[in-house]
Amino acid sequence: DIVMTQSPDSLAVSLGERATINCKSTQSVLYNSNNKNYLAWYQQKPGQPPKLLIYWASIRGSGVPDRFSGSGSGTDFTLTISSLQADDVAVYYCHQYYSSHWTFGQGTRLEIK
Amino acid sequence: EVQLVQSGAEVKKPGESLKISCKGSGYIFTSSWIGWVRQMPGKGLEWMGVIYPGDSDTRYSPSFQGQVTISADKSISTAYLQWSTLKASDTAMYYCVRLLPSGGILNAFDIWGQGTMVTVSS
């Protein structure tokens, strides 16, 4: 199975500052035939189910604020929150769907400094 | 509104059986894969399996093959996750998810149910 590793495990950022979360896969999740990266990001707030933030590595999900962006290709990906809001406190997960044995990163806990 | 609504929390004893449900609405239920994801207390997300309600094609994670059964009743737009013999280690939150409708089985999970907490304790 493809192993997804996120860094850091936890992160504290001041309100209004940039937050960056990284995700690395043990093999490429880029399909050469369509040039798409099979990588998604989810946000899970306390007591809630996860919510799709980003898919195809860089496409924002429905209703997701534009302060959230995804980048990267192949094996290395980044989720960036351009200006942290109090509502962004959550655990963030990356997810590969390149293989039908879907796997997730271990999660990154984002807090306010 | 597209949504998945799951059945309520369950408390069971080891060795008992259980079937939880996930009802889809607001979209064509037979046209999107439905999956199940486990989250053990304080832990991360694990994919368990998926089903295509249109033809009941079902795939399981190797970690859960033989441990659970996934099914669907398209006449009532409902998917199920069942156990024949529960263990204490099955204690977890279980989420049903919809795979993005376009692009087939290799897709992100765009809609999540609210979760069903299963507690197995003697």
Side-chain angles (χ1 to χ4, degrees):
Chain A
D1 285 0
I2 299 174
V3 176
M4 309 299 288
T5 304
Q6 293 180 225
S7 60
D9 288 333
S10 63
L11 181 62
V13 175
S14 301
L15 290 173
E17 296 299 304
R18 179 186 300 260
T20 301
I21 299 170
N22 300 300
C23 176
K24 190 174 184 67
S25 59
T26 52
Q27 70 181 76
S28 176
V29 298
L30 171 64
Y31 258 114
N32 292 325
S33 60
N34 60 11
N35 203 37
K36 285 185 172 180
N37 286 284
Y38 285 55
L39 190 284
W41 290 95
Y42 302 88
Q43 175 194 62
Q44 186 175 30
K45 297 180 181 178
Q48 296 185 20
K51 173 188 174 184
L52 178 64
L53 289 179
I54 301 284
Y55 60 102
W56 301 127
S58 62
I59 306 298
R60 272 188 296 276
S62 176
V64 175
D66 61 7
R67 65 179 181 274
F68 291 92
S69 63
S71 62
S73 185
T75 61
D76 292 277
F77 300 90
T78 300
L79 174 70
T80 301
I81 308 172
S82 60
S83 177
L84 190 71
Q85 307 297 305
D87 189 50
D88 300 335
V89 170
V91 178
Y92 292 83
Y93 295 94
C94 62
H95 165 219
Q96 69 78 19
Y97 47 99
Y98 177 91
S99 158
S100 60
H101 288 192
W102 293 269
T103 48
F104 296 88
Q106 79 277 16
T108 294
R109 186 173 302 277
L110 177 59
E111 299 172 336
I112 305 297
K113 186 186 292 183
Chain B
E1 179 192 6
V2 176
Q3 58 180 349
L4 298 172
V5 178
Q6 298 183 228
S7 49
E10 300 275 1
V11 179
K12 294 292 209 179
K13 290 182 166 44
E16 293 186 330
S17 62
L18 176 64
K19 191 174 189 177
I20 63 175
S21 67
C22 168
K23 183 173 177 62
S25 62
Y27 73 101
I28 301 172
F29 186 72
T30 52
S31 297
S32 296
W33 290 83
I34 292 283
W36 288 93
V37 174
R38 183 176 79 173
Q39 187 169 40
M40 300 178 78
K43 300 299 184 183
L45 305 170
E46 302 171 271
W47 163 70
M48 302 177 71
V50 293
I51 187 166
Y52 190 74
D55 61 8
S56 293
D57 183 6
T58 308
R59 319 283 176 89
Y60 292 93
S61 162
S63 300
F64 293 93
Q65 179 85 47
Q67 307 304 306
V68 297
T69 301
I70 293 170
S71 60
D73 184 340
K74 60 186 179 183
S75 70
I76 54 172
S77 300
T78 300
Y80 301 96
L81 177 66
Q82 68 180 86
W83 296 258
S84 57
T85 308
L86 284 161
K87 304 185 287 273
S89 58
D90 292 318
T91 294
M93 181 72 80
Y94 293 88
Y95 294 104
C96 64
V97 298
R98 185 186 80 161
L99 278 63
L100 276 164
S102 61
I105 195 172
L106 298 181
N107 234 319
F109 304 160
D110 70 331
I111 304 295
W112 293 66
Q114 83 276 19
T116 296
M117 184 66 206
V118 174
T119 302
V120 184
S121 174
S122 54

CSV table of all heavy atoms in Angstrom, one decimal, chain A residues 1 31 38 40 42 44 47-52 54-56 93 95 97-106 109, chain B residues 37 39 42-47 49-50 59-62 95 99-100 102 105-110 112-115:
chain,number,residue,atom,x,y,z
A,1,ASP,N,0.8,-1.2,0.0
A,1,ASP,CA,0.0,0.0,0.0
A,1,ASP,C,0.9,1.3,0.0
A,1,ASP,O,2.0,1.3,0.5
A,1,ASP,CB,-0.9,0.0,1.2
A,1,ASP,CG,-2.1,-0.9,1.1
A,1,ASP,OD1,-2.2,-1.6,0.1
A,1,ASP,OD2,-2.9,-1.0,2.1
A,31,TYR,N,-1.0,10.2,-12.3
A,31,TYR,CA,-1.3,9.4,-13.4
A,31,TYR,C,-0.8,10.1,-14.7
A,31,TYR,O,-1.3,11.2,-15.0
A,31,TYR,CB,-2.8,9.1,-13.6
A,31,TYR,CG,-3.1,7.7,-13.1
A,31,TYR,CD1,-3.9,7.5,-12.0
A,31,TYR,CD2,-2.7,6.6,-13.7
A,31,TYR,CE1,-4.3,6.3,-11.5
A,31,TYR,CE2,-3.1,5.3,-13.3
A,31,TYR,CZ,-3.8,5.2,-12.2
A,31,TYR,OH,-4.2,3.9,-11.7
A,38,TYR,N,-3.7,12.2,-7.8
A,38,TYR,CA,-4.8,11.6,-7.1
A,38,TYR,C,-4.6,11.8,-5.6
A,38,TYR,O,-4.4,10.8,-4.8
A,38,TYR,CB,-4.9,10.1,-7.4
A,38,TYR,CG,-5.5,9.9,-8.8
A,38,TYR,CD1,-4.9,10.5,-9.9
A,38,TYR,CD2,-6.6,9.1,-9.0
A,38,TYR,CE1,-5.5,10.3,-11.2
A,38,TYR,CE2,-7.2,8.9,-10.3
A,38,TYR,CZ,-6.6,9.5,-11.3
A,38,TYR,OH,-7.1,9.3,-12.6
A,40,ALA,N,-6.0,14.2,-2.1
A,40,ALA,CA,-7.0,15.1,-1.5
A,40,ALA,C,-6.6,15.5,-0.1
A,40,ALA,O,-5.8,14.8,0.5
A,40,ALA,CB,-8.4,14.4,-1.4
A,42,TYR,N,-8.4,16.8,3.7
A,42,TYR,CA,-9.7,16.9,4.5
A,42,TYR,C,-9.4,17.7,5.7
A,42,TYR,O,-8.3,17.7,6.3
A,42,TYR,CB,-10.2,15.6,4.8
A,42,TYR,CG,-10.5,14.7,3.6
A,42,TYR,CD1,-9.5,13.9,3.1
A,42,TYR,CD2,-11.8,14.7,3.0
A,42,TYR,CE1,-9.8,13.1,2.0
A,42,TYR,CE2,-12.0,13.9,1.9
A,42,TYR,CZ,-11.0,13.1,1.4
A,42,TYR,OH,-11.3,12.3,0.3
A,44,GLN,N,-10.9,18.1,9.7
A,44,GLN,CA,-11.8,17.5,10.7
A,44,GLN,C,-11.8,18.4,11.9
A,44,GLN,O,-10.7,18.4,12.6
A,44,GLN,CB,-11.4,16.1,11.0
A,44,GLN,CG,-12.5,15.4,11.9
A,44,GLN,CD,-12.2,14.0,12.2
A,44,GLN,OE1,-11.1,13.5,12.2
A,44,GLN,NE2,-13.3,13.2,12.4
A,47,GLY,N,-15.3,16.8,17.0
A,47,GLY,CA,-16.7,16.3,17.1
A,47,GLY,C,-17.5,16.3,15.8
A,47,GLY,O,-18.7,16.1,15.8
A,48,GLN,N,-16.8,16.5,14.7
A,48,GLN,CA,-17.4,16.6,13.4
A,48,GLN,C,-16.8,15.5,12.4
A,48,GLN,O,-15.6,15.1,12.6
A,48,GLN,CB,-17.3,18.0,12.7
A,48,GLN,CG,-18.0,19.0,13.5
A,48,GLN,CD,-17.9,20.4,12.8
A,48,GLN,OE1,-17.7,20.4,11.5
A,48,GLN,NE2,-18.2,21.5,13.5
A,49,PRO,N,-17.5,15.2,11.4
A,49,PRO,CA,-16.8,14.3,10.3
A,49,PRO,C,-15.9,15.1,9.5
A,49,PRO,O,-15.9,16.4,9.5
A,49,PRO,CB,-18.0,13.9,9.5
A,49,PRO,CG,-19.1,14.9,9.6
A,49,PRO,CD,-18.9,15.4,11.0
A,50,PRO,N,-14.9,14.5,8.9
A,50,PRO,CA,-14.0,15.2,8.0
A,50,PRO,C,-14.8,15.9,6.9
A,50,PRO,O,-15.9,15.5,6.5
A,50,PRO,CB,-13.1,14.1,7.4
A,50,PRO,CG,-13.1,13.1,8.5
A,50,PRO,CD,-14.5,13.1,9.0
A,51,LYS,N,-14.2,16.9,6.3
A,51,LYS,CA,-14.8,17.7,5.2
A,51,LYS,C,-13.7,17.8,4.1
A,51,LYS,O,-12.6,18.1,4.3
A,51,LYS,CB,-15.2,19.1,5.7
A,51,LYS,CG,-15.6,20.1,4.5
A,51,LYS,CD,-15.8,21.5,5.1
A,51,LYS,CE,-16.0,22.4,3.9
A,51,LYS,NZ,-16.1,23.8,4.4
A,52,LEU,N,-14.2,17.6,2.8
A,52,LEU,CA,-13.3,17.7,1.7
A,52,LEU,C,-12.9,19.1,1.5
A,52,LEU,O,-13.7,19.9,1.2
A,52,LEU,CB,-13.9,17.1,0.5
A,52,LEU,CG,-13.1,17.1,-0.8
A,52,LEU,CD1,-11.9,16.3,-0.7
A,52,LEU,CD2,-14.0,16.7,-2.0
A,54,ILE,N,-9.7,19.9,-0.6
A,54,ILE,CA,-9.0,19.9,-1.9
A,54,ILE,C,-9.0,18.5,-2.5
A,54,ILE,O,-8.8,17.5,-1.8
A,54,ILE,CB,-7.5,20.3,-1.6
A,54,ILE,CG1,-7.4,21.7,-0.9
A,54,ILE,CG2,-6.7,20.3,-2.9
A,54,ILE,CD1,-7.6,22.9,-1.8
A,55,TYR,N,-9.2,18.5,-3.8
A,55,TYR,CA,-9.0,17.2,-4.5
A,55,TYR,C,-8.3,17.5,-5.8
A,55,TYR,O,-8.1,18.6,-6.2
A,55,TYR,CB,-10.4,16.5,-4.8
A,55,TYR,CG,-11.4,17.3,-5.6
A,55,TYR,CD1,-11.6,17.1,-6.9
A,55,TYR,CD2,-12.1,18.4,-5.0
A,55,TYR,CE1,-12.5,17.8,-7.7
A,55,TYR,CE2,-13.0,19.1,-5.7
A,55,TYR,CZ,-13.2,18.8,-7.1
A,55,TYR,OH,-14.1,19.6,-7.8
A,56,TRP,N,-7.8,16.4,-6.4
A,56,TRP,CA,-6.9,16.5,-7.6
A,56,TRP,C,-5.7,17.4,-7.2
A,56,TRP,O,-5.2,18.2,-8.0
A,56,TRP,CB,-7.6,17.0,-8.8
A,56,TRP,CG,-8.7,16.1,-9.3
A,56,TRP,CD1,-9.9,16.4,-9.6
A,56,TRP,CD2,-8.6,14.7,-9.5
A,56,TRP,NE1,-10.7,15.4,-10.0
A,56,TRP,CE2,-9.9,14.3,-10.0
A,56,TRP,CE3,-7.6,13.7,-9.4
A,56,TRP,CZ2,-10.2,12.9,-10.3
A,56,TRP,CZ3,-7.9,12.4,-9.7
A,56,TRP,CH2,-9.2,12.0,-10.1
A,93,TYR,N,-6.0,16.0,7.1
A,93,TYR,CA,-5.5,14.7,6.6
A,93,TYR,C,-5.3,14.8,5.1
A,93,TYR,O,-6.1,15.4,4.4
A,93,TYR,CB,-6.5,13.6,6.9
A,93,TYR,CG,-6.8,13.3,8.3
A,93,TYR,CD1,-7.8,13.9,9.0
A,93,TYR,CD2,-6.0,12.3,9.0
A,93,TYR,CE1,-8.1,13.6,10.3
A,93,TYR,CE2,-6.2,12.0,10.3
A,93,TYR,CZ,-7.3,12.6,11.0
A,93,TYR,OH,-7.5,12.3,12.3
A,95,HIS,N,-4.8,12.4,1.6
A,95,HIS,CA,-5.5,11.1,1.2
A,95,HIS,C,-5.1,10.8,-0.2
A,95,HIS,O,-5.3,11.7,-1.1
A,95,HIS,CB,-7.0,11.3,1.4
A,95,HIS,CG,-7.8,10.2,0.7
A,95,HIS,ND1,-9.0,10.5,0.1
A,95,HIS,CD2,-7.7,8.9,0.6
A,95,HIS,CE1,-9.6,9.5,-0.4
A,95,HIS,NE2,-8.8,8.4,-0.1
A,97,TYR,N,-5.8,8.6,-3.6
A,97,TYR,CA,-6.8,7.7,-4.2
A,97,TYR,C,-6.3,7.2,-5.6
A,97,TYR,O,-7.1,6.8,-6.5
A,97,TYR,CB,-8.2,8.3,-4.3
A,97,TYR,CG,-8.2,9.8,-4.8
A,97,TYR,CD1,-8.6,10.0,-6.2
A,97,TYR,CD2,-8.0,10.8,-4.0
A,97,TYR,CE1,-8.6,11.3,-6.6
A,97,TYR,CE2,-8.1,12.1,-4.5
A,97,TYR,CZ,-8.4,12.4,-5.8
A,97,TYR,OH,-8.4,13.7,-6.3
A,98,TYR,N,-5.0,7.2,-5.7
A,98,TYR,CA,-4.3,6.7,-6.9
A,98,TYR,C,-4.5,5.2,-7.0
A,98,TYR,O,-4.7,4.6,-8.0
A,98,TYR,CB,-2.8,7.0,-6.8
A,98,TYR,CG,-2.0,6.5,-7.9
A,98,TYR,CD1,-1.7,7.2,-9.0
A,98,TYR,CD2,-1.4,5.2,-7.8
A,98,TYR,CE1,-0.9,6.8,-10.0
A,98,TYR,CE2,-0.5,4.7,-8.8
A,98,TYR,CZ,-0.3,5.5,-9.9
A,98,TYR,OH,0.5,5.0,-10.9
A,99,SER,N,-4.5,4.5,-5.8
A,99,SER,CA,-4.7,3.1,-5.7
A,99,SER,C,-6.1,2.9,-5.0
A,99,SER,O,-6.4,3.7,-4.1
A,99,SER,CB,-3.6,2.5,-4.8
A,99,SER,OG,-4.1,1.3,-4.3
A,100,SER,N,-6.8,1.9,-5.5
A,100,SER,CA,-8.1,1.6,-4.8
A,100,SER,C,-7.9,1.0,-3.4
A,100,SER,O,-8.9,0.6,-2.8
A,100,SER,CB,-9.0,0.7,-5.7
A,100,SER,OG,-8.3,-0.5,-5.9
A,101,HIS,N,-6.7,0.9,-2.9
A,101,HIS,CA,-6.4,0.7,-1.5
A,101,HIS,C,-6.1,2.1,-1.0
A,101,HIS,O,-4.9,2.5,-0.8
A,101,HIS,CB,-5.2,-0.2,-1.3
A,101,HIS,CG,-5.6,-1.7,-1.6
A,101,HIS,ND1,-4.8,-2.7,-1.3
A,101,HIS,CD2,-6.7,-2.2,-2.2
A,101,HIS,CE1,-5.3,-3.9,-1.7
A,101,HIS,NE2,-6.5,-3.6,-2.3
A,102,TRP,N,-7.2,2.9,-0.8
A,102,TRP,CA,-7.0,4.3,-0.3
A,102,TRP,C,-6.3,4.3,1.0
A,102,TRP,O,-6.5,3.5,1.9
A,102,TRP,CB,-8.4,4.9,-0.1
A,102,TRP,CG,-9.2,5.1,-1.3
A,102,TRP,CD1,-9.2,6.2,-2.1
A,102,TRP,CD2,-10.1,4.2,-1.9
A,102,TRP,NE1,-10.1,6.0,-3.2
A,102,TRP,CE2,-10.7,4.8,-3.1
A,102,TRP,CE3,-10.6,2.9,-1.6
A,102,TRP,CZ2,-11.6,4.1,-3.9
A,102,TRP,CZ3,-11.5,2.2,-2.4
A,102,TRP,CH2,-12.0,2.9,-3.5
A,103,THR,N,-5.4,5.3,1.2
A,103,THR,CA,-4.7,5.5,2.4
A,103,THR,C,-4.7,7.0,2.8
A,103,THR,O,-4.7,7.8,1.9
A,103,THR,CB,-3.3,4.9,2.4
A,103,THR,OG1,-2.6,5.4,1.2
A,103,THR,CG2,-3.3,3.4,2.4
A,104,PHE,N,-4.6,7.2,4.1
A,104,PHE,CA,-4.6,8.6,4.6
A,104,PHE,C,-3.2,8.9,5.3
A,104,PHE,O,-2.6,7.9,5.8
A,104,PHE,CB,-5.7,8.8,5.6
A,104,PHE,CG,-7.1,8.6,5.1
A,104,PHE,CD1,-7.7,7.4,5.0
A,104,PHE,CD2,-7.8,9.8,4.6
A,104,PHE,CE1,-9.0,7.3,4.5
A,104,PHE,CE2,-9.1,9.7,4.1
A,104,PHE,CZ,-9.7,8.4,4.1
A,105,GLY,N,-2.9,10.1,5.4
A,105,GLY,CA,-1.8,10.5,6.3
A,105,GLY,C,-2.3,10.4,7.7
A,105,GLY,O,-3.5,10.2,8.0
A,106,GLN,N,-1.4,10.5,8.7
A,106,GLN,CA,-1.7,10.3,10.1
A,106,GLN,C,-2.4,11.5,10.7
A,106,GLN,O,-2.9,11.4,11.8
A,106,GLN,CB,-0.4,10.0,10.9
A,106,GLN,CG,0.5,11.2,11.2
A,106,GLN,CD,1.4,11.7,10.1
A,106,GLN,OE1,1.2,11.3,9.0
A,106,GLN,NE2,2.4,12.5,10.5
A,109,ARG,N,-2.4,18.3,13.5
A,109,ARG,CA,-3.3,19.1,14.4
A,109,ARG,C,-2.8,20.6,14.3
A,109,ARG,O,-1.6,20.9,14.5
A,109,ARG,CB,-3.2,18.6,15.8
A,109,ARG,CG,-4.1,19.3,16.8
A,109,ARG,CD,-4.1,18.6,18.1
A,109,ARG,NE,-4.4,17.2,18.0
A,109,ARG,CZ,-5.6,16.7,18.0
A,109,ARG,NH1,-6.7,17.5,18.1
A,109,ARG,NH2,-5.8,15.4,18.0
B,37,VAL,N,-15.4,4.3,6.4
B,37,VAL,CA,-14.2,4.7,6.9
B,37,VAL,C,-14.3,4.6,8.5
B,37,VAL,O,-15.2,5.0,9.1
B,37,VAL,CB,-13.8,6.2,6.6
B,37,VAL,CG1,-12.6,6.7,7.3
B,37,VAL,CG2,-13.7,6.4,5.1
B,39,GLN,N,-12.7,5.4,12.3
B,39,GLN,CA,-11.8,6.2,13.1
B,39,GLN,C,-11.9,5.7,14.5
B,39,GLN,O,-12.9,6.0,15.2
B,39,GLN,CB,-12.2,7.7,13.0
B,39,GLN,CG,-11.3,8.6,13.7
B,39,GLN,CD,-11.5,10.1,13.3
B,39,GLN,OE1,-12.6,10.5,13.2
B,39,GLN,NE2,-10.4,10.8,13.1
B,42,GLY,N,-9.5,8.8,19.1
B,42,GLY,CA,-8.3,9.6,19.1
B,42,GLY,C,-7.3,9.3,18.0
B,42,GLY,O,-6.2,9.8,18.1
B,43,LYS,N,-7.8,8.5,17.0
B,43,LYS,CA,-6.9,8.1,16.0
B,43,LYS,C,-7.3,8.7,14.6
B,43,LYS,O,-8.2,9.5,14.5
B,43,LYS,CB,-6.9,6.6,15.9
B,43,LYS,CG,-6.4,5.9,17.2
B,43,LYS,CD,-5.0,6.3,17.6
B,43,LYS,CE,-4.6,5.5,18.8
B,43,LYS,NZ,-3.2,5.9,19.3
B,44,GLY,N,-6.5,8.2,13.6
B,44,GLY,CA,-6.8,8.7,12.2
B,44,GLY,C,-7.8,7.9,11.5
B,44,GLY,O,-8.6,7.2,12.0
B,45,LEU,N,-7.8,8.1,10.1
B,45,LEU,CA,-8.8,7.6,9.3
B,45,LEU,C,-8.3,6.3,8.5
B,45,LEU,O,-7.2,6.3,8.1
B,45,LEU,CB,-9.2,8.6,8.2
B,45,LEU,CG,-9.7,10.0,8.8
B,45,LEU,CD1,-9.8,11.0,7.7
B,45,LEU,CD2,-11.0,9.8,9.6
B,46,GLU,N,-9.2,5.3,8.5
B,46,GLU,CA,-8.9,4.0,7.8
B,46,GLU,C,-10.0,3.7,6.9
B,46,GLU,O,-11.1,3.6,7.3
B,46,GLU,CB,-8.7,2.9,8.8
B,46,GLU,CG,-7.6,3.1,9.9
B,46,GLU,CD,-7.7,2.0,10.9
B,46,GLU,OE1,-8.5,2.2,11.9
B,46,GLU,OE2,-7.1,1.0,10.8
B,47,TRP,N,-9.6,3.4,5.6
B,47,TRP,CA,-10.6,3.0,4.6
B,47,TRP,C,-10.9,1.5,4.8
B,47,TRP,O,-10.0,0.7,5.0
B,47,TRP,CB,-10.1,3.2,3.2
B,47,TRP,CG,-10.8,2.5,2.2
B,47,TRP,CD1,-12.1,2.7,1.7
B,47,TRP,CD2,-10.4,1.3,1.4
B,47,TRP,NE1,-12.4,1.8,0.8
B,47,TRP,CE2,-11.4,0.9,0.6
B,47,TRP,CE3,-9.2,0.6,1.4
B,47,TRP,CZ2,-11.3,-0.1,-0.3
B,47,TRP,CZ3,-9.0,-0.4,0.6
B,47,TRP,CH2,-10.1,-0.8,-0.3
B,49,GLY,N,-13.9,-0.2,3.0
B,49,GLY,CA,-14.4,-0.8,1.8
B,49,GLY,C,-15.3,0.1,1.0
B,49,GLY,O,-15.7,1.1,1.6
B,50,VAL,N,-15.7,-0.3,-0.2
B,50,VAL,CA,-16.6,0.5,-1.0
B,50,VAL,C,-17.6,-0.4,-1.7
B,50,VAL,O,-17.3,-1.6,-1.9
B,50,VAL,CB,-15.9,1.4,-2.0
B,50,VAL,CG1,-15.0,2.5,-1.3
B,50,VAL,CG2,-15.0,0.5,-2.9
B,59,ARG,N,-15.7,-3.8,-2.9
B,59,ARG,CA,-14.2,-4.0,-2.7
B,59,ARG,C,-13.9,-3.7,-1.2
B,59,ARG,O,-14.5,-2.8,-0.6
B,59,ARG,CB,-13.4,-3.0,-3.5
B,59,ARG,CG,-13.9,-2.7,-5.0
B,59,ARG,CD,-13.6,-3.8,-5.9
B,59,ARG,NE,-14.2,-3.6,-7.2
B,59,ARG,CZ,-13.6,-2.9,-8.2
B,59,ARG,NH1,-12.4,-2.4,-8.0
B,59,ARG,NH2,-14.2,-2.7,-9.4
B,60,TYR,N,-13.0,-4.5,-0.7
B,60,TYR,CA,-12.6,-4.4,0.7
B,60,TYR,C,-11.2,-4.1,0.9
B,60,TYR,O,-10.3,-4.6,0.1
B,60,TYR,CB,-12.9,-5.7,1.5
B,60,TYR,CG,-14.4,-6.0,1.6
B,60,TYR,CD1,-15.0,-6.8,0.7
B,60,TYR,CD2,-15.1,-5.5,2.7
B,60,TYR,CE1,-16.4,-7.2,0.8
B,60,TYR,CE2,-16.5,-5.8,2.8
B,60,TYR,CZ,-17.1,-6.6,1.9
B,60,TYR,OH,-18.4,-6.9,2.0
B,61,SER,N,-10.8,-3.3,1.9
B,61,SER,CA,-9.5,-3.2,2.3
B,61,SER,C,-9.0,-4.5,2.8
B,61,SER,O,-9.8,-5.2,3.5
B,61,SER,CB,-9.3,-2.2,3.4
B,61,SER,OG,-8.1,-2.3,4.1
B,62,PRO,N,-7.8,-4.9,2.5
B,62,PRO,CA,-7.3,-6.2,3.1
B,62,PRO,C,-7.4,-6.3,4.6
B,62,PRO,O,-7.5,-7.4,5.1
B,62,PRO,CB,-5.8,-6.2,2.6
B,62,PRO,CG,-5.8,-5.4,1.4
B,62,PRO,CD,-6.8,-4.3,1.6
B,95,TYR,N,-17.8,6.2,9.6
B,95,TYR,CA,-18.3,7.1,8.6
B,95,TYR,C,-18.6,6.5,7.3
B,95,TYR,O,-17.8,5.7,6.8
B,95,TYR,CB,-17.4,8.3,8.4
B,95,TYR,CG,-17.0,9.2,9.6
B,95,TYR,CD1,-15.8,9.0,10.2
B,95,TYR,CD2,-17.9,10.1,10.0
B,95,TYR,CE1,-15.5,9.8,11.3
B,95,TYR,CE2,-17.6,10.9,11.1
B,95,TYR,CZ,-16.4,10.8,11.7
B,95,TYR,OH,-16.1,11.6,12.8
B,99,LEU,N,-18.0,8.8,-2.9
B,99,LEU,CA,-17.0,9.2,-3.8
B,99,LEU,C,-17.5,10.2,-4.8
B,99,LEU,O,-18.6,10.1,-5.3
B,99,LEU,CB,-16.4,7.9,-4.5
B,99,LEU,CG,-15.4,7.1,-3.7
B,99,LEU,CD1,-16.0,6.5,-2.4
B,99,LEU,CD2,-14.7,6.0,-4.6
B,100,LEU,N,-16.6,11.1,-5.2
B,100,LEU,CA,-17.0,12.1,-6.2
B,100,LEU,C,-17.6,11.4,-7.4
B,100,LEU,O,-17.1,10.3,-7.8
B,100,LEU,CB,-15.8,12.9,-6.6
B,100,LEU,CG,-15.4,14.1,-5.8
B,100,LEU,CD1,-14.0,14.6,-6.1
B,100,LEU,CD2,-16.4,15.2,-6.0
B,102,SER,N,-17.9,11.8,-10.6
B,102,SER,CA,-17.2,11.6,-11.9
B,102,SER,C,-15.9,10.9,-11.7
B,102,SER,O,-15.2,11.1,-10.7
B,102,SER,CB,-17.0,13.0,-12.5
B,102,SER,OG,-16.1,13.8,-11.7
B,105,ILE,N,-14.0,4.8,-9.6
B,105,ILE,CA,-13.7,4.3,-8.2
B,105,ILE,C,-12.5,5.1,-7.6
B,105,ILE,O,-12.3,5.2,-6.4
B,105,ILE,CB,-13.5,2.8,-8.2
B,105,ILE,CG1,-13.5,2.3,-6.7
B,105,ILE,CG2,-12.2,2.4,-8.9
B,105,ILE,CD1,-13.5,0.8,-6.6
B,106,LEU,N,-11.6,5.6,-8.5
B,106,LEU,CA,-10.4,6.3,-8.0
B,106,LEU,C,-10.8,7.8,-7.8
B,106,LEU,O,-10.6,8.6,-8.7
B,106,LEU,CB,-9.3,6.1,-9.0
B,106,LEU,CG,-8.8,4.7,-9.2
B,106,LEU,CD1,-7.6,4.6,-10.2
B,106,LEU,CD2,-8.4,4.0,-7.9
B,107,ASN,N,-11.3,8.1,-6.6
B,107,ASN,CA,-11.9,9.4,-6.4
B,107,ASN,C,-11.8,9.8,-5.0
B,107,ASN,O,-11.8,8.9,-4.1
B,107,ASN,CB,-13.3,9.5,-7.0
B,107,ASN,CG,-13.4,10.6,-8.0
B,107,ASN,OD1,-12.9,11.7,-7.7
B,107,ASN,ND2,-14.2,10.4,-9.0
B,108,ALA,N,-11.9,11.1,-4.7
B,108,ALA,CA,-11.9,11.6,-3.4
B,108,ALA,C,-13.3,11.4,-2.8
B,108,ALA,O,-14.3,11.1,-3.5
B,108,ALA,CB,-11.5,13.1,-3.4
B,109,PHE,N,-13.4,11.6,-1.5
B,109,PHE,CA,-14.6,11.4,-0.7
B,109,PHE,C,-15.3,12.8,-0.5
B,109,PHE,O,-14.8,13.5,0.4
B,109,PHE,CB,-14.4,10.7,0.6
B,109,PHE,CG,-13.7,9.4,0.5
B,109,PHE,CD1,-13.0,8.9,1.7
B,109,PHE,CD2,-13.6,8.7,-0.6
B,109,PHE,CE1,-12.3,7.7,1.6
B,109,PHE,CE2,-12.9,7.4,-0.7
B,109,PHE,CZ,-12.3,6.9,0.4
B,110,ASP,N,-16.3,13.1,-1.3
B,110,ASP,CA,-16.8,14.5,-1.2
B,110,ASP,C,-17.9,14.7,-0.2
B,110,ASP,O,-18.1,15.8,0.3
B,110,ASP,CB,-17.3,15.0,-2.6
B,110,ASP,CG,-18.5,14.3,-3.1
B,110,ASP,OD1,-18.8,13.1,-2.7
B,110,ASP,OD2,-19.2,15.0,-3.9
B,112,TRP,N,-19.6,13.2,3.5
B,112,TRP,CA,-19.4,12.3,4.7
B,112,TRP,C,-20.7,12.3,5.5
B,112,TRP,O,-21.3,13.3,5.7
B,112,TRP,CB,-18.3,12.8,5.5
B,112,TRP,CG,-16.9,12.7,4.9
B,112,TRP,CD1,-16.5,13.4,3.8
B,112,TRP,CD2,-15.8,11.9,5.3
B,112,TRP,NE1,-15.2,13.1,3.5
B,112,TRP,CE2,-14.7,12.2,4.4
B,112,TRP,CE3,-15.6,11.0,6.4
B,112,TRP,CZ2,-13.5,11.5,4.5
B,112,TRP,CZ3,-14.4,10.4,6.5
B,112,TRP,CH2,-13.4,10.6,5.6
B,113,GLY,N,-21.1,11.1,5.9
B,113,GLY,CA,-22.1,11.0,6.9
B,113,GLY,C,-21.7,11.6,8.2
B,113,GLY,O,-20.5,11.9,8.4
B,114,GLN,N,-22.6,11.7,9.1
B,114,GLN,CA,-22.3,12.3,10.4
B,114,GLN,C,-21.6,11.4,11.4
B,114,GLN,O,-21.1,11.8,12.4
B,114,GLN,CB,-23.6,12.8,11.1
B,114,GLN,CG,-24.4,11.8,11.9
B,114,GLN,CD,-25.4,11.0,11.0
B,114,GLN,OE1,-25.2,10.9,9.8
B,114,GLN,NE2,-26.4,10.3,11.7
B,115,GLY,N,-21.5,10.1,11.0
B,115,GLY,CA,-20.8,9.1,11.8
B,115,GLY,C,-21.7,8.3,12.7
B,115,GLY,O,-22.8,8.8,13.2
